[in-house]
Every structure is written in C-alpha cells, then in structure tokens.
Amino acid sequence: GGTTPWMAAVQKPPHLVTIVPVSGITEWYLYVGSHGVWYDSGTAFNEAYPASISLNQGTPPTQAQISHFPEKFCQDLAMDEAAGASGTATATEDAFWQERNYQTKDAIAKINAANVSVYILHGLQDWNVKPDNIVDIYNQLTVPKHMQLGQWDHQYPLRSDWGTELTRWFDHWLKDADNGIMSED
C-alpha cells in the first residue's frame, strides 16, 4: 500500500484518479542508505523482494515457473547485491537505482501530467521507510495533494477517525463529493 501507488502513478494509467501511498518508498536508494552510507541492514532487507517477485506471474504459479524460480531468484538477488555494493562503494545512484527512483524530474513530470491526486501518509517514527522519502516528492508535485505526518511507525495513522477521513478522500476524488476534504489542513 505504500510503494505500489507511486509505481502506478508513474505509469500514467488513463483511469487512475488518486493514490494514497502509506509509508511508501519513493526512492529505493534512500530506502537502503543515505548519501552513500548504507543503513545497518543495507540491501539485506531487499532480499525478500526478489524472493517474492521472482516468479513475476499470477498465482498459483505453474510448474514451469516453479522450476525456474531458483535461477530467476539468484539472478535477481545477484543484481540487487551488485547494486548495493556499487552504491556503497561509489555513493552514487547508477542505472539500477535510477530505474527505482520515483522522485526524478521525469517521474514527477509523469505524475503531474497524469493529474493524479495524491494523499501521502507517513509516520515520523518509521524506521523502515524513513520520512526523508516523502518531503521532496511532495514539494515537487503540482497535482492536488494532501499530506499527513504523525507520530506513528510503519503503518496507517493510529487515530479512530482515519477510516472516515480516507473514505472522504475517496468520495471526493472518485464520486465528486463536495465534502471539504481539500480545504482542511
């Protein structure tokens, strides 16, 4: 629910109206480190991602997909580890990281051109996806936008009215309801 909305918005699907990224990664390089200094887990946490997406197919997987899983997983993991080593050694974002960066001028231009409204939610105590993944992209968006930051970790806001607020957001953008959500701070 966090990174996938950014991935979708950059693709500019014609019927996408709004996204609500919750604790989403906007730049994978910032996810694993900061300015060339890798976080304690480095790219090790990302090893779960190649493992979960290596089949890159629907479920249930076919026998052929399962038989090629170790080969595909090993290739994905090797690519991830090489990118981590390169990023650590050079403190630069090479092509691997640029492909996974939704904060580039091109990516933000695509989101702005698609005119997809964005409601960002992010906890300031999130040690999984650090809050520095959000502020820059929010400031560069020219689409209708709203952001809520708060004292929670890697999850939805811990407030009793959160579901009601989310429903109001979707009612406004998907049903054209004039409910004042965009005029609130």
Side-chain angles (χ1 to χ4, degrees):
T3 307
T4 304
W6 293 114
M7 295 167 69
V10 169
Q11 299 300 316
K12 298 190 323 182
H15 301 291
L16 185 63
V17 175
T18 190
I19 62 171
V20 182
V22 179
S23 298
I25 300 167
T26 59
E27 185 178 352
W28 281 90
Y29 187 79
L30 285 178
Y31 177 70
V32 297
S34 178
H35 305 287
V37 178
W38 251 227
Y39 294 122
D40 185 23
S41 62
T43 58
F45 183 80
N46 290 349
E47 293 171 6
Y49 289 100
S52 63
I53 65 171
S54 288
L55 290 174
N56 200 22
Q57 301 292 325
T59 53
T62 66
Q63 185 61 40
Q65 291 168 322
I66 292 171
S67 68
H68 292 294
F69 176 79
E71 174 187 337
K72 177 81 168 95
F73 172 72
C74 288
Q75 289 171 355
D76 289 352
L77 184 57
M79 182 176 65
D80 185 54
E81 290 299 318
S86 172
T88 303
T90 64
T92 59
E93 296 180 56
D94 60 19
F96 176 89
W97 298 111
Q98 285 299 311
E99 183 181 357
R100 292 154 179 84
N101 185 347
Y102 313 121
Q103 291 195 46
T104 65
K105 288 182 182 181
D106 183 51
I108 292 171
K110 288 178 181 177
I111 296 170
N112 287 332
N115 201 31
V116 173
S117 63
V118 178
Y119 185 4
I120 297 172
L121 295 125
H122 208 99
L124 297 174
Q125 297 176 21
D126 189 345
W127 287 102
N128 182 357
V129 180
K130 310 330 178 256
D132 64 355
N133 255 260
I134 297 305
V135 176
D136 288 342
I137 197 167
Y138 183 81
N139 288 335
Q140 294 178 59
L141 292 172
T142 59
V143 297
K145 61 187 179 179
H146 192 70
M147 180 167 56
Q148 187 177 139
L149 303 172
Q151 296 301 322
W152 62 84
D153 56 9
H154 189 66
Q155 61 183 322
Y156 294 94
L158 301 173
R159 296 189 351 239
S160 61
D161 65 340
W162 159 240
T164 302
E165 187 170 320
L166 181 61
T167 300
R168 289 180 58 223
W169 179 266
F170 285 134
D171 283 349
H172 177 78
W173 290 105
L174 303 177
K175 297 180 180 179
D176 294 321
D178 186 12
N179 57 19
I181 190 87
M182 292 305 293
S183 62
E184 297 175 4
D185 290 335

